[in-house]
Coordinates of all heavy atoms in Angstrom, one line a residue:
G1 N 0.8 -1.2 0.0 CA 0.0 0.0 0.0 C 0.8 1.3 0.0 O 0.3 2.3 0.3
F2 N 2.1 1.2 -0.3 CA 3.0 2.4 -0.4 C 3.1 2.9 -1.8 O 2.9 2.2 -2.8 CB 4.4 2.0 0.1 CG 4.4 1.8 1.6 CD1 4.3 0.5 2.1 CD2 4.6 2.8 2.5 CE1 4.3 0.3 3.5 CE2 4.6 2.6 3.9 CZ 4.5 1.3 4.4
V3 N 3.4 4.2 -1.9 CA 3.6 4.8 -3.2 C 4.9 5.6 -3.1 O 5.4 6.0 -2.0 CB 2.5 5.8 -3.6 CG1 1.2 5.0 -3.9 CG2 2.2 6.8 -2.6
R4 N 5.6 5.8 -4.3 CA 6.8 6.5 -4.3 C 6.5 8.0 -4.3 O 5.7 8.5 -5.2 CB 7.6 6.1 -5.6 CG 9.0 6.5 -5.6 CD 9.8 5.3 -4.9 NE 11.2 5.5 -5.2 CZ 12.1 5.2 -4.3 NH1 11.8 4.9 -3.1 NH2 13.4 5.3 -4.6
F5 N 7.1 8.8 -3.5 CA 6.9 10.2 -3.4 C 8.2 10.9 -3.0 O 8.7 10.7 -1.9 CB 5.8 10.5 -2.4 CG 5.5 12.0 -2.3 CD1 4.8 12.6 -3.3 CD2 5.8 12.7 -1.2 CE1 4.5 14.0 -3.3 CE2 5.5 14.1 -1.1 CZ 4.8 14.7 -2.1
R6 N 8.7 11.7 -3.9 CA 9.9 12.5 -3.7 C 11.1 11.6 -3.2 O 11.9 11.9 -2.3 CB 9.7 13.6 -2.6 CG 8.5 14.5 -2.9 CD 8.9 15.8 -3.6 NE 7.9 16.8 -3.5 CZ 7.0 16.9 -4.4 NH1 7.0 16.2 -5.5 NH2 6.1 17.9 -4.3
G7 N 11.2 10.5 -3.8 CA 12.3 9.6 -3.6 C 12.2 8.6 -2.4 O 13.1 7.9 -2.1
T8 N 11.0 8.6 -1.7 CA 10.8 7.7 -0.6 C 9.5 7.1 -0.7 O 8.6 7.5 -1.5 CB 10.9 8.5 0.8 OG1 9.8 9.5 0.8 CG2 12.2 9.2 1.0
W9 N 9.3 6.0 0.0 CA 8.0 5.3 0.0 C 7.2 5.8 1.2 O 7.6 5.8 2.3 CB 8.3 3.8 0.2 CG 8.9 3.2 -1.0 CD1 10.3 2.8 -1.1 CD2 8.3 2.8 -2.2 NE1 10.5 2.3 -2.3 CE2 9.3 2.3 -3.0 CE3 7.0 2.9 -2.7 CZ2 9.0 1.8 -4.3 CZ3 6.7 2.4 -4.0 CH2 7.8 1.9 -4.8
V10 N 5.9 6.2 0.8 CA 5.0 6.7 1.8 C 3.6 6.1 1.5 O 3.4 5.6 0.5 CB 4.9 8.2 1.8 CG1 6.2 8.9 2.3 CG2 4.4 8.7 0.5
T11 N 2.7 6.1 2.5 CA 1.4 5.7 2.3 C 0.7 6.7 1.4 O 1.1 7.8 1.3 CB 0.6 5.5 3.6 OG1 0.5 6.8 4.2 CG2 1.3 4.5 4.5
K12 N -0.4 6.2 0.8 CA -1.2 7.2 -0.1 C -1.8 8.3 0.8 O -1.8 9.5 0.3 CB -2.4 6.4 -0.7 CG -1.9 5.4 -1.8 CD -3.0 4.6 -2.4 CE -2.5 3.6 -3.4 NZ -3.6 2.8 -4.0
E13 N -2.2 8.0 2.0 CA -2.7 9.1 2.9 C -1.6 10.1 3.2 O -1.8 11.3 3.2 CB -3.3 8.5 4.2 CG -4.5 7.6 4.0 CD -4.1 6.2 3.5 OE1 -2.9 5.7 3.6 OE2 -5.0 5.5 3.0
E14 N -0.4 9.6 3.5 CA 0.7 10.5 3.8 C 1.1 11.3 2.6 O 1.4 12.5 2.7 CB 1.9 9.7 4.3 CG 3.2 10.5 4.6 CD 3.0 11.3 5.9 OE1 2.0 11.1 6.6 OE2 3.9 12.1 6.1
R15 N 1.1 10.8 1.4 CA 1.3 11.5 0.2 C 0.3 12.6 0.0 O 0.7 13.8 -0.3 CB 1.3 10.6 -1.1 CG 1.6 11.3 -2.4 CD 1.6 10.3 -3.5 NE 1.8 10.9 -4.8 CZ 0.8 11.4 -5.6 NH1 -0.4 11.3 -5.2 NH2 1.1 12.0 -6.7
A16 N -1.0 12.3 0.2 CA -2.0 13.3 0.1 C -1.8 14.4 1.1 O -2.0 15.6 0.8 CB -3.4 12.7 0.2
R17 N -1.5 14.1 2.3 CA -1.2 15.0 3.4 C 0.0 15.9 3.0 O -0.1 17.2 3.2 CB -1.0 14.4 4.7 CG -0.9 15.3 5.9 CD -0.5 14.7 7.2 NE 0.9 14.2 7.2 CZ 1.9 15.1 7.3 NH1 1.8 16.3 7.4 NH2 3.2 14.6 7.2
L18 N 1.0 15.3 2.5 CA 2.2 16.1 2.2 C 1.9 17.1 1.0 O 2.4 18.2 1.0 CB 3.4 15.2 1.8 CG 4.0 14.4 2.9 CD1 5.0 13.4 2.4 CD2 4.7 15.4 3.9
L19 N 1.1 16.6 0.0 CA 0.8 17.5 -1.1 C -0.1 18.6 -0.6 O 0.0 19.8 -1.1 CB 0.0 16.7 -2.2 CG 0.9 15.7 -3.0 CD1 0.0 14.9 -3.9 CD2 1.9 16.6 -3.8
A20 N -1.0 18.4 0.3 CA -1.9 19.4 0.9 C -1.0 20.5 1.6 O -1.2 21.7 1.5 CB -2.9 18.8 1.8
V21 N 0.0 20.0 2.4 CA 0.9 20.9 3.1 C 1.6 21.8 2.1 O 1.8 23.0 2.3 CB 1.8 20.1 4.0 CG1 2.9 21.0 4.6 CG2 1.0 19.5 5.2
E22 N 2.2 21.2 1.1 CA 2.9 21.9 0.1 C 2.0 22.9 -0.6 O 2.4 24.1 -0.9 CB 3.5 21.0 -1.0 CG 4.7 20.2 -0.5 CD 5.2 19.2 -1.6 OE1 4.7 19.2 -2.7 OE2 6.1 18.5 -1.2
A23 N 0.8 22.6 -0.9 CA -0.2 23.5 -1.6 C -0.5 24.7 -0.7 O -0.5 25.8 -1.1 CB -1.5 22.7 -2.0
R24 N -0.7 24.4 0.6 CA -1.0 25.5 1.6 C 0.3 26.4 1.7 O 0.1 27.6 1.7 CB -1.4 24.9 2.9 CG -2.8 24.5 3.0 CD -3.3 24.2 4.4 NE -2.4 23.3 5.2 CZ -2.6 22.0 5.2 NH1 -3.5 21.4 4.4 NH2 -1.8 21.2 5.9
A25 N 1.4 25.8 1.7 CA 2.7 26.6 1.8 C 2.8 27.5 0.6 O 3.2 28.7 0.7 CB 3.9 25.7 2.0
K26 N 2.5 26.9 -0.6 CA 2.6 27.7 -1.8 C 1.6 28.9 -1.8 O 2.0 30.0 -2.2 CB 2.4 26.8 -3.0 CG 2.5 27.5 -4.4 CD 2.3 26.5 -5.5 CE 2.4 27.3 -6.9 NZ 2.2 26.4 -8.0
E27 N 0.4 28.6 -1.4 CA -0.6 29.6 -1.4 C -0.2 30.7 -0.4 O -0.4 31.9 -0.7 CB -2.0 29.0 -0.9 CG -2.7 28.2 -1.9 CD -3.9 27.5 -1.4 OE1 -4.4 27.9 -0.3 OE2 -4.4 26.6 -2.1
R28 N 0.4 30.3 0.7 CA 0.9 31.3 1.7 C 2.0 32.2 1.1 O 2.0 33.4 1.3 CB 1.3 30.6 3.0 CG 1.8 31.5 4.1 CD 2.3 30.7 5.3 NE 2.7 31.6 6.3 CZ 2.0 32.0 7.3 NH1 0.7 31.6 7.4 NH2 2.5 32.9 8.2
R29 N 2.9 31.6 0.4 CA 4.0 32.4 -0.2 C 3.4 33.4 -1.2 O 3.9 34.5 -1.2 CB 5.0 31.4 -0.9 CG 5.9 30.8 0.1 CD 7.1 30.1 -0.6 NE 6.7 29.1 -1.6 CZ 6.4 27.8 -1.4 NH1 6.5 27.3 -0.2 NH2 6.1 27.1 -2.4
I30 N 2.5 32.9 -2.0 CA 1.8 33.8 -3.0 C 1.1 35.0 -2.3 O 1.3 36.1 -2.7 CB 0.9 33.0 -3.9 CG1 1.6 32.1 -4.8 CG2 0.0 34.0 -4.7 CD1 0.8 31.1 -5.6
L31 N 0.4 34.7 -1.2 CA -0.3 35.7 -0.5 C 0.7 36.6 0.2 O 0.4 37.9 0.2 CB -1.2 35.0 0.6 CG -2.0 36.0 1.5 CD1 -2.9 36.9 0.6 CD2 -2.8 35.2 2.5
E32 N 1.7 36.1 0.7 CA 2.7 37.0 1.4 C 3.3 38.0 0.4 O 3.6 39.1 0.6 CB 3.8 36.2 2.0 CG 3.4 35.5 3.3 CD 4.4 34.5 3.9 OE1 5.4 34.2 3.2 OE2 4.2 34.1 5.0
R33 N 3.6 37.5 -0.9 CA 4.2 38.3 -1.9 C 3.2 39.4 -2.3 O 3.5 40.6 -2.4 CB 4.5 37.5 -3.2 CG 5.9 36.9 -3.1 CD 6.4 36.4 -4.5 NE 5.5 35.4 -5.0 CZ 5.7 34.1 -4.9 NH1 6.8 33.6 -4.2 NH2 4.9 33.2 -5.4
K34 N 1.9 39.0 -2.4 CA 0.9 40.0 -2.7 C 0.8 41.1 -1.7 O 0.7 42.3 -1.9 CB -0.5 39.3 -2.9 CG -0.7 38.6 -4.2 CD -2.1 38.0 -4.3 CE -2.3 37.3 -5.5 NZ -3.7 36.7 -5.6
L35 N 0.7 40.6 -0.4 CA 0.6 41.6 0.7 C 1.8 42.5 0.8 O 1.6 43.7 1.0 CB 0.4 40.8 2.0 CG -1.0 40.3 2.3 CD1 -1.0 39.3 3.5 CD2 -2.0 41.4 2.4
R36 N 3.0 42.0 0.6 CA 4.2 42.9 0.6 C 4.1 43.9 -0.5 O 4.4 45.1 -0.3 CB 5.5 42.0 0.4 CG 6.1 41.5 1.6 CD 7.5 41.0 1.5 NE 7.6 40.0 0.5 CZ 7.5 38.7 0.7 NH1 7.1 38.2 1.9 NH2 7.6 37.8 -0.3
R37 N 3.7 43.5 -1.7 CA 3.6 44.4 -2.9 C 2.5 45.4 -2.6 O 2.7 46.6 -2.8 CB 3.2 43.7 -4.2 CG 3.2 44.6 -5.4 CD 2.9 43.8 -6.7 NE 1.5 43.5 -6.6 CZ 1.0 42.2 -6.7 NH1 1.8 41.2 -6.9 NH2 -0.3 42.0 -6.7
W38 N 1.3 45.0 -2.0 CA 0.2 46.0 -1.7 C 0.7 47.0 -0.7 O 0.5 48.2 -0.9 CB -1.0 45.2 -1.2 CG -1.7 44.4 -2.3 CD1 -1.7 44.6 -3.6 CD2 -2.5 43.3 -2.0 NE1 -2.5 43.7 -4.2 CE2 -3.0 42.8 -3.3 CE3 -2.9 42.6 -0.9 CZ2 -3.9 41.7 -3.4 CZ3 -3.8 41.5 -1.1 CH2 -4.3 41.1 -2.3
F39 N 1.3 46.5 0.4 CA 1.7 47.5 1.4 C 2.9 48.4 0.9 O 3.0 49.5 1.3 CB 2.1 46.8 2.7 CG 0.9 46.5 3.5 CD1 0.3 45.2 3.6 CD2 0.2 47.5 4.2 CE1 -0.8 44.9 4.3 CE2 -0.9 47.2 5.0 CZ -1.4 45.9 5.0
R40 N 3.8 47.9 0.1 CA 4.8 48.7 -0.5 C 4.2 49.8 -1.4 O 4.6 51.0 -1.3 CB 5.8 47.9 -1.4 CG 6.9 48.6 -1.9 CD 7.9 47.8 -2.7 NE 7.2 47.1 -3.8 CZ 7.2 45.7 -3.9 NH1 7.7 45.0 -3.0 NH2 6.5 45.2 -4.9
D41 N 3.1 49.5 -2.1 CA 2.5 50.4 -3.0 C 1.7 51.5 -2.1 O 1.6 52.6 -2.4 CB 1.5 49.8 -3.9 CG 2.2 49.1 -5.1 OD1 3.4 49.3 -5.3 OD2 1.5 48.4 -5.9
I42 N 1.1 51.0 -1.0 CA 0.4 51.9 -0.1 C 1.4 52.9 0.5 O 1.2 54.1 0.6 CB -0.3 51.2 1.1 CG1 -1.5 50.4 0.5 CG2 -0.7 52.1 2.2 CD1 -2.2 49.5 1.6
A43 N 2.6 52.5 0.8 CA 3.6 53.3 1.4 C 4.4 54.2 0.4 O 4.5 55.4 0.6 CB 4.7 52.5 2.1
Y44 N 4.8 53.7 -0.8 CA 5.7 54.4 -1.6 C 5.1 54.6 -3.1 O 5.8 55.2 -3.9 CB 7.0 53.7 -1.7 CG 7.6 53.5 -0.3 CD1 7.8 52.3 0.3 CD2 8.1 54.7 0.4 CE1 8.3 52.2 1.5 CE2 8.6 54.5 1.6 CZ 8.7 53.3 2.2 OH 9.3 53.2 3.4
G45 N 4.0 54.0 -3.4 CA 3.5 54.2 -4.7 C 2.9 55.5 -5.0 O 2.7 56.3 -4.1
S46 N 2.5 55.8 -6.2 CA 1.8 57.0 -6.6 C 0.5 57.0 -5.9 O 0.0 55.9 -5.4 CB 1.6 57.1 -8.1 OG 0.8 56.0 -8.5
K47 N -0.2 58.1 -5.9 CA -1.5 58.2 -5.2 C -2.5 57.1 -5.8 O -3.2 56.5 -5.1 CB -2.1 59.6 -5.4 CG -3.4 59.8 -4.7 CD -3.2 59.8 -3.2 CE -4.4 60.2 -2.5 NZ -4.6 59.6 -1.2

């Protein structure tokens, strides 16, 4: 019942959990970039 994931053997449930964690981390990074850009524009952008 194991599958190959990133060079190691994990259960299907563990693979799904790891993918979900990676997806949340990616969404968070995207959101952090957006917020940094928005607040930079609020502070230093044109009116």
Side-chain angles (χ1 to χ4, degrees):
F2 289 91
V3 292
R4 197 87 163 139
F5 182 71
R6 309 264 194 267
T8 61
W9 292 101
V10 295
T11 63
K12 291 178 183 177
E13 296 80 17
E14 180 68 9
R15 180 178 179 270
R17 189 188 67 73
L18 290 171
L19 287 172
V21 167
E22 287 178 2
R24 283 192 304 274
K26 182 179 178 183
E27 288 174 13
R28 182 181 178 94
R29 284 191 305 273
I30 290 169
L31 178 59
E32 286 172 351
R33 275 194 299 265
K34 283 182 182 179
L35 284 169
R36 272 196 302 274
R37 186 182 70 239
W38 290 336
F39 278 102
R40 184 179 56 242
D41 286 350
I42 288 172
Y44 303 110
S46 66
K47 184 70 172 149

